[in-house]
Amino acid sequence: MKRRMKHQWSHQWRILSILACCMAFALVLSGNSATAGKGGGKGGPPPSGDTLAPGEVLNLDFSVVTGTTVTLTWTRAADDDYDCDSGPASSYDVRYMIDTPLDESNWADATPLTGEPDPDTPCDGGDPPLFLLEKPYPILGLLPLTNYHFAIKASDEAGNASPISADLSVFTLDDGWSIEVVDAKGNNPVLAFDPEDGNPSIAYREGGSEKFAHFDGFLQDWVITDLGTSSGGHDLAYLSAGTPAMSYRIKAAKKKDGQKVVYALWNGTNFDAPETVAVGAEALVTSLAFDASGNASIVWTEDTSQGEDLMFATRDASGWNTPEVIDGEVFMRAPDLAYDSSGNATVAYEAKLSDGSDEIRFAVRSGSTWGAPVTVDSAPSPDGLRYPSLAYDGAGQPAIAYHYGDAAGPPFIGNQVRLAVRDASGWPESPEVITTRDDGSSSISLAFDGLGNPYVGFAAVYSGDCSENGVEVAFNDGSGWTFDLVTELAFCPNGVSLALDPDERPSVAIKDTAGGVLKFAWKNQ
């Protein structure tokens, strides 16, 4: 399968899309009294003796640039000069040259592009009329780190071409990864993208406090909110309207009560005071998800005299419902919660059994009842299976990426990242081995793009003593796995969280163990 290329944005240039729109919409031109009411736009034969060409296309700019793509914008062209009443021009002609600005003298030598949008009604019909912005025009297959020059002409149905537009110079980005510091310290990052503004957010713990960092596209900087004292175990999820929520642990008021699992929802300026979901929970990790109706659900592990039970609670208009036991066999760890296409809650988790063996399990809640857990994979030693990450593929089937191997180390060489995808017949007997470079001590993240292609983020180790390491993203488009090195590290990282941005490009939040710095990395194309 080929990867679908969509209208993309780059982290460095997001603010430019706002500027481009403002420039275009600021152009107010009145109708030309000499030709007002003439007609002659698309939809009929060209007027006899039409010699008046469209005016020069204005405000040619770019809203997106990556390593291999540029998206152009410009103001719509009228059929006759800048006469709104003449209707739209008939066609656009966009051309480019490398390293050489375009003008009339070299227009014929420039490389023409294809697929330009059809000209749309140029003005909004107001008094005075306002020229509108044309549909964005993405250009794919460009070279990284290259200086492209673009220009455009518009033509009418009689073949009259406008003068050439102003030259636009665009330098494409490095076709690799960019990385920046989010906070001086930050443990166990969880990355998600705001569905409303498309910008990244990270939940993490620093200095005993729970924190939330969101990239502000206007300020072009990270804005950090402190939620107060926390014991960690956090997760981050968004409602469809762009409202973030977090689940995490805090110490109960009485020491004998242990920990509380809490839930906090963003109110527009800050997080509300955390709501108590359960008391007495010794949860190493919580996992938060929303159902199709926007109701929050959380899974966590809870200490009992027999071990650690896997628990589930859901919230409705009346508050949090009574927690339910999903699995109570010995020790349950590292749950990951997701909803399937039928609206059922599902969870993948690690089960440590009394005989010393380890399992990755999967459970489904149909209606209000959890079904019996299913074993996805097993290992003979404790800690042999860790960090399951649950996601759904393009066919709506659950998939789990996880660690397999001797997590204790050293030597760390040989630890595997595995992927198990359920099909109509069930879970595979032999899950796929993606790599044997996993360090075994950092979380693994799985995501699928719109074509059902999987991405897996993990911490890689290149030496047996964990002195040479990196963060990698593995991707499979149906022709096999490819591996992208995000960054090299001096020590094994303490957290890797992957998510796809709104244009389905991978991004990663990382805790760099060297100094504990919290970083955010994004793919440039």
Side-chain angles (χ1 to χ4, degrees):
M1 291 178 290
K2 291 185 177 180
R3 186 181 177 193
R4 179 177 59 190
M5 300 300 294
K6 298 172 56 182
H7 176 205
Q8 301 179 349
W9 57 267
S10 173
H11 178 77
Q12 297 101 320
W13 299 103
R14 276 170 285 184
I15 192 67
L16 292 174
S17 62
I18 300 172
L19 297 176
C21 292
C22 294
M23 291 170 62
F25 278 84
L27 177 65
V28 180
L29 297 170
S30 60
N32 187 324
S33 58
T35 55
K38 181 178 185 297
K42 296 185 71 174
S48 177
D50 181 6
T51 59
L52 188 57
E56 175 188 328
V57 176
L58 302 176
N59 297 320
L60 177 63
D61 207 338
F62 66 96
S63 61
V64 177
V65 60
T66 74
T68 59
T69 68
V70 170
T71 297
L72 300 182
T73 60
W74 59 81
T75 301
R76 296 176 186 176
D79 185 272
D80 294 338
D81 198 32
Y82 298 111
D83 177 12
C84 289
D85 293 332
S86 67
S90 178
S91 63
Y92 294 116
D93 183 2
V94 179
R95 303 187 184 190
Y96 74 89
M97 300 187 80
I98 295 176
D99 294 331
T100 302
L102 273 74
D103 56 29
E104 292 287 4
S105 68
N106 60 13
W107 173 256
D109 299 324
T111 301
L113 294 168
T114 60
E116 293 94 331
D118 292 330
D120 208 342
T121 303
C123 303
D124 65 354
D127 185 17
L130 175 69
F131 271 70
L132 302 173
L133 197 66
E134 193 56 86
K135 294 180 288 293
Y137 175 47
I139 303 168
L140 312 180
L142 303 179
L143 299 174
L145 299 176
T146 302
N147 186 16
Y148 284 88
H149 289 265
F150 297 96
I152 183 173
K153 288 187 176 186
S155 296
D156 62 18
E157 290 178 324
N160 300 308
S162 71
I164 190 172
S165 69
D167 175 79
L168 173 66
S169 175
V170 182
F171 196 83
T172 51
L173 303 179
D174 181 6
D175 185 25
W177 290 79
S178 296
I179 189 166
E180 67 182 16
V181 172
V182 177
D183 202 347
K185 291 186 181 296
N187 290 312
N188 303 114
V190 178
L191 173 65
F193 280 88
D194 185 333
E196 185 69 19
D197 64 20
N199 288 325
S201 298
I202 303 173
Y204 61 103
R205 185 169 179 257
E206 190 275 317
S209 293
E210 200 64 43
K211 292 192 173 182
F212 171 81
H214 179 70
F215 187 85
D216 188 307
F218 181 77
L219 298 176
Q220 289 289 286
D221 200 2
W222 291 89
V223 177
I224 297 173
T225 302
D226 191 330
L227 283 75
T229 303
S230 161
S231 299
H234 48 257
D235 198 13
L236 169 65
Y238 271 91
L239 285 161
S240 58
T243 303
M246 289 177 57
S247 60
Y248 55 99
R249 296 179 300 145
I250 60 175
K251 291 182 179 179
K254 297 181 180 179
K255 186 175 181 180
K256 66 180 180 65
D257 291 332
Q259 306 277 343
K260 293 196 297 184
V261 173
V262 298
Y263 166 83
L265 183 68
W266 184 259
N267 59 27
T269 57
N270 207 331
F271 283 90
D272 290 331
E275 303 172 1
T276 298
V277 180
V279 178
E282 285 293 342
L284 295 176
V285 176
T286 67
S287 185
L288 168 67
F290 289 99
D291 66 17
S293 300
N295 297 314
S297 298
I298 300 175
V299 294
W300 70 95
T301 56
E302 186 167 304
D303 256 0
T304 70
S305 59
Q306 304 299 317
E308 292 181 7
D309 289 348
L310 184 64
M311 308 296 295
F312 170 84
T314 187
R315 189 182 189 278
D316 56 26
S318 62
W320 286 95
N321 298 319
T322 302
E324 306 166 15
V325 178
I326 301 172
D327 195 338
E329 185 181 357
V330 196
F331 293 97
M332 306 297 115
R333 298 282 174 87
D336 194 16
L337 175 67
Y339 278 87
D340 65 20
S341 58
S342 298
N344 299 315
T346 64
V347 62
Y349 57 99
E350 174 191 353
K352 297 181 177 298
L353 307 182
S354 57
D355 63 2
S357 62
D358 222 359
E359 293 183 350
I360 295 295
R361 292 182 175 180
F362 176 76
V364 180
R365 184 178 188 258
S366 297
S368 58
T369 304
W370 283 94
V374 175
T375 298
V376 177
D377 200 353
S378 59
S381 61
D383 289 330
L385 296 166
R386 306 180 78 187
Y387 306 120
S389 179
L390 172 64
Y392 280 81
D393 68 10
Q397 292 287 359
I400 306 171
Y402 55 95
H403 161 85
Y404 181 98
D406 180 11
F412 293 90
I413 296 295
N415 286 327
Q416 299 175 2
V417 175
R418 290 188 173 187
L419 177 65
V421 182
R422 193 182 70 182
D423 59 22
S425 62
W427 292 96
E429 292 186 9
S430 300
E432 182 179 11
V433 177
I434 298 174
T435 180
T436 58
R437 294 194 298 273
D438 180 42
D439 78 348
S441 62
S442 298
S443 54
I444 292 170
S445 293
L446 171 66
F448 287 89
D449 66 17
L451 293 177
N453 300 317
Y455 291 78
V456 179
F458 64 98
V461 61
Y462 310 120
S463 63
D465 61 356
C466 205
S467 62
E468 298 177 23
N469 312 276
V471 173
E472 295 188 27
V473 171
F475 166 69
N476 192 335
D477 63 358
S479 61
W481 289 95
T482 59
F483 297 87
D484 230 352
L485 176 63
V486 178
T487 183
E488 294 181 346
L489 299 172
F491 302 95
C492 293
N494 183 257
V496 176
S497 180
L498 172 140
L500 303 185
D501 72 15
D503 295 306
E504 300 188 337
R505 292 178 303 162
S507 298
V508 182
I510 307 162
K511 180 206 170 175
D512 187 344
T513 307
V517 179
L518 178 64
K519 297 179 178 180
F520 173 72
W522 65 96
K523 182 72 172 173
N524 289 329
Q525 69 162 14

mmCIF file of all heavy atoms in Angstrom, residues 92 112 132 135 171 189 194 209 226 245 251 259 290 313 323 368 375 380 399 494 504:
data_model
loop_
_atom_site.group_PDB
_atom_site.id
_atom_site.type_symbol
_atom_site.label_atom_id
_atom_site.label_comp_id
_atom_site.label_asym_id
_atom_site.label_seq_id
_atom_site.Cartn_x
_atom_site.Cartn_y
_atom_site.Cartn_z
ATOM 1 N N TYR A 92 -5.783 27.898 -14.071
ATOM 2 C CA TYR A 92 -4.529 28.389 -13.499
ATOM 3 C C TYR A 92 -3.371 27.596 -14.090
ATOM 4 O O TYR A 92 -3.505 26.411 -14.436
ATOM 5 C CB TYR A 92 -4.510 28.234 -11.981
ATOM 6 C CG TYR A 92 -5.511 29.081 -11.242
ATOM 7 C CD1 TYR A 92 -6.539 28.494 -10.513
ATOM 8 C CD2 TYR A 92 -5.415 30.472 -11.248
ATOM 9 C CE1 TYR A 92 -7.454 29.261 -9.819
ATOM 10 C CE2 TYR A 92 -6.322 31.250 -10.550
ATOM 11 C CZ TYR A 92 -7.348 30.638 -9.837
ATOM 12 O OH TYR A 92 -8.251 31.412 -9.155
ATOM 13 N N PRO A 112 6.109 23.247 -15.774
ATOM 14 C CA PRO A 112 4.688 23.378 -15.426
ATOM 15 C C PRO A 112 4.253 22.239 -14.497
ATOM 16 O O PRO A 112 4.749 21.114 -14.580
ATOM 17 C CB PRO A 112 3.984 23.283 -16.778
ATOM 18 C CG PRO A 112 4.912 22.486 -17.634
ATOM 19 C CD PRO A 112 6.306 22.795 -17.164
ATOM 20 N N LEU A 132 -11.826 36.385 -2.539
ATOM 21 C CA LEU A 132 -11.672 35.253 -1.630
ATOM 22 C C LEU A 132 -10.393 34.480 -1.919
ATOM 23 O O LEU A 132 -9.768 34.653 -2.964
ATOM 24 C CB LEU A 132 -12.883 34.314 -1.754
ATOM 25 C CG LEU A 132 -14.243 34.954 -1.467
ATOM 26 C CD1 LEU A 132 -15.369 33.976 -1.778
ATOM 27 C CD2 LEU A 132 -14.310 35.418 -0.018
ATOM 28 N N LYS A 135 -8.754 27.590 -3.315
ATOM 29 C CA LYS A 135 -8.508 26.334 -2.608
ATOM 30 C C LYS A 135 -7.012 26.071 -2.521
ATOM 31 O O LYS A 135 -6.271 26.331 -3.475
ATOM 32 C CB LYS A 135 -9.199 25.176 -3.339
ATOM 33 C CG LYS A 135 -10.717 25.248 -3.324
ATOM 34 C CD LYS A 135 -11.350 24.089 -4.064
ATOM 35 C CE LYS A 135 -11.183 24.208 -5.569
ATOM 36 N NZ LYS A 135 -11.924 25.332 -6.150
ATOM 37 N N PHE A 171 11.942 27.307 0.531
ATOM 38 C CA PHE A 171 13.049 26.386 0.785
ATOM 39 C C PHE A 171 12.498 25.178 1.533
ATOM 40 O O PHE A 171 12.015 25.314 2.660
ATOM 41 C CB PHE A 171 14.146 27.072 1.599
ATOM 42 C CG PHE A 171 15.468 26.343 1.571
ATOM 43 C CD1 PHE A 171 16.350 26.527 0.521
ATOM 44 C CD2 PHE A 171 15.818 25.465 2.593
ATOM 45 C CE1 PHE A 171 17.565 25.851 0.480
ATOM 46 C CE2 PHE A 171 17.019 24.791 2.562
ATOM 47 C CZ PHE A 171 17.907 24.994 1.498
ATOM 48 N N PRO A 189 6.352 10.543 29.485
ATOM 49 C CA PRO A 189 5.487 11.395 28.655
ATOM 50 C C PRO A 189 4.416 10.597 27.924
ATOM 51 O O PRO A 189 4.635 9.461 27.509
ATOM 52 C CB PRO A 189 6.473 12.024 27.670
ATOM 53 C CG PRO A 189 7.597 11.041 27.576
ATOM 54 C CD PRO A 189 7.729 10.464 28.952
ATOM 55 N N ASP A 194 -4.361 17.649 19.741
ATOM 56 C CA ASP A 194 -5.642 18.318 19.919
ATOM 57 C C ASP A 194 -6.427 18.235 18.605
ATOM 58 O O ASP A 194 -5.972 18.750 17.584
ATOM 59 C CB ASP A 194 -5.387 19.780 20.298
ATOM 60 C CG ASP A 194 -6.649 20.547 20.637
ATOM 61 O OD1 ASP A 194 -7.730 20.179 20.134
ATOM 62 O OD2 ASP A 194 -6.558 21.529 21.389
ATOM 63 N N SER A 209 4.864 16.579 40.668
ATOM 64 C CA SER A 209 3.661 17.239 40.175
ATOM 65 C C SER A 209 3.263 16.672 38.824
ATOM 66 O O SER A 209 4.117 16.295 38.016
ATOM 67 C CB SER A 209 3.882 18.748 40.041
ATOM 68 O OG SER A 209 4.063 19.359 41.298
ATOM 69 N N ASP A 226 0.409 23.190 35.553
ATOM 70 C CA ASP A 226 0.716 22.315 36.687
ATOM 71 C C ASP A 226 -0.598 21.909 37.345
ATOM 72 O O ASP A 226 -1.355 22.755 37.823
ATOM 73 C CB ASP A 226 1.616 23.050 37.676
ATOM 74 C CG ASP A 226 2.199 22.139 38.744
ATOM 75 O OD1 ASP A 226 1.541 21.132 39.099
ATOM 76 O OD2 ASP A 226 3.298 22.434 39.246
ATOM 77 N N ALA A 245 -8.377 15.777 28.755
ATOM 78 C CA ALA A 245 -8.630 15.253 30.093
ATOM 79 C C ALA A 245 -7.459 14.365 30.473
ATOM 80 O O ALA A 245 -6.763 13.817 29.607
ATOM 81 C CB ALA A 245 -9.939 14.465 30.144
ATOM 82 N N LYS A 251 -1.946 10.538 46.302
ATOM 83 C CA LYS A 251 -2.036 9.875 47.597
ATOM 84 C C LYS A 251 -3.346 10.233 48.275
ATOM 85 O O LYS A 251 -3.776 11.387 48.266
ATOM 86 C CB LYS A 251 -0.862 10.277 48.477
ATOM 87 C CG LYS A 251 0.472 9.739 48.006
ATOM 88 C CD LYS A 251 1.588 10.130 48.954
ATOM 89 C CE LYS A 251 2.920 9.555 48.469
ATOM 90 N NZ LYS A 251 4.043 9.934 49.364
ATOM 91 N N GLN A 259 -3.584 4.955 47.475
ATOM 92 C CA GLN A 259 -3.646 5.925 46.391
ATOM 93 C C GLN A 259 -5.088 6.131 45.931
ATOM 94 O O GLN A 259 -5.958 5.288 46.156
ATOM 95 C CB GLN A 259 -2.818 5.422 45.203
ATOM 96 C CG GLN A 259 -1.391 5.057 45.532
ATOM 97 C CD GLN A 259 -0.467 6.259 45.540
ATOM 98 O OE1 GLN A 259 -0.819 7.310 45.002
ATOM 99 N NE2 GLN A 259 0.681 6.116 46.138
ATOM 100 N N PHE A 290 -12.349 7.897 25.766
ATOM 101 C CA PHE A 290 -13.722 8.374 25.678
ATOM 102 C C PHE A 290 -14.503 7.499 24.712
ATOM 103 O O PHE A 290 -13.991 7.101 23.658
ATOM 104 C CB PHE A 290 -13.770 9.824 25.188
ATOM 105 C CG PHE A 290 -13.281 10.827 26.198
ATOM 106 C CD1 PHE A 290 -11.997 11.327 26.128
ATOM 107 C CD2 PHE A 290 -14.103 11.250 27.230
ATOM 108 C CE1 PHE A 290 -11.531 12.244 27.052
ATOM 109 C CE2 PHE A 290 -13.660 12.173 28.165
ATOM 110 C CZ PHE A 290 -12.369 12.672 28.082
ATOM 111 N N ALA A 313 -13.739 1.692 35.285
ATOM 112 C CA ALA A 313 -14.855 2.543 35.696
ATOM 113 C C ALA A 313 -15.199 3.483 34.556
ATOM 114 O O ALA A 313 -14.316 3.924 33.808
ATOM 115 C CB ALA A 313 -14.519 3.344 36.953
ATOM 116 N N PRO A 323 -16.688 0.792 40.243
ATOM 117 C CA PRO A 323 -15.654 0.089 39.480
ATOM 118 C C PRO A 323 -15.972 -1.388 39.284
ATOM 119 O O PRO A 323 -16.586 -2.033 40.135
ATOM 120 C CB PRO A 323 -14.402 0.275 40.340
ATOM 121 C CG PRO A 323 -14.656 1.525 41.124
ATOM 122 C CD PRO A 323 -16.129 1.501 41.411
ATOM 123 N N SER A 368 -22.604 -4.186 29.399
ATOM 124 C CA SER A 368 -22.084 -3.841 30.720
ATOM 125 C C SER A 368 -21.289 -4.988 31.333
ATOM 126 O O SER A 368 -21.018 -4.990 32.533
ATOM 127 C CB SER A 368 -23.243 -3.474 31.660
ATOM 128 O OG SER A 368 -24.156 -4.562 31.763
ATOM 129 N N THR A 375 -5.680 -14.857 25.865
ATOM 130 C CA THR A 375 -4.223 -14.769 25.842
ATOM 131 C C THR A 375 -3.751 -14.507 24.414
ATOM 132 O O THR A 375 -4.059 -15.259 23.495
ATOM 133 C CB THR A 375 -3.580 -16.056 26.370
ATOM 134 O OG1 THR A 375 -3.980 -16.243 27.734
ATOM 135 C CG2 THR A 375 -2.064 -15.981 26.293
ATOM 136 N N PRO A 380 7.831 -17.585 29.338
ATOM 137 C CA PRO A 380 8.039 -18.389 30.539
ATOM 138 C C PRO A 380 8.568 -17.623 31.735
ATOM 139 O O PRO A 380 8.501 -18.116 32.865
ATOM 140 C CB PRO A 380 9.065 -19.436 30.070
ATOM 141 C CG PRO A 380 9.799 -18.769 28.949
ATOM 142 C CD PRO A 380 8.783 -17.913 28.265
ATOM 143 N N ALA A 399 -5.041 -4.486 17.421
ATOM 144 C CA ALA A 399 -3.634 -4.824 17.261
ATOM 145 C C ALA A 399 -2.899 -4.394 18.524
ATOM 146 O O ALA A 399 -3.232 -3.372 19.139
ATOM 147 C CB ALA A 399 -3.043 -4.142 16.032
ATOM 148 N N ASN A 494 13.629 6.937 29.272
ATOM 149 C CA ASN A 494 12.686 6.487 30.291
ATOM 150 C C ASN A 494 11.248 6.546 29.805
ATOM 151 O O ASN A 494 10.335 6.245 30.539
ATOM 152 C CB ASN A 494 12.834 7.353 31.552
ATOM 153 C CG ASN A 494 11.945 6.900 32.683
ATOM 154 O OD1 ASN A 494 10.929 7.529 32.931
ATOM 155 N ND2 ASN A 494 12.309 5.811 33.340
ATOM 156 N N GLU A 504 -1.221 12.824 9.615
ATOM 157 C CA GLU A 504 -0.742 11.444 9.699
ATOM 158 C C GLU A 504 0.766 11.322 9.603
ATOM 159 O O GLU A 504 1.304 10.317 9.152
ATOM 160 C CB GLU A 504 -1.430 10.567 8.642
ATOM 161 C CG GLU A 504 -2.931 10.529 8.820
ATOM 162 C CD GLU A 504 -3.616 9.530 7.914
ATOM 163 O OE1 GLU A 504 -3.043 9.181 6.868
ATOM 164 O OE2 GLU A 504 -4.723 9.085 8.270
#
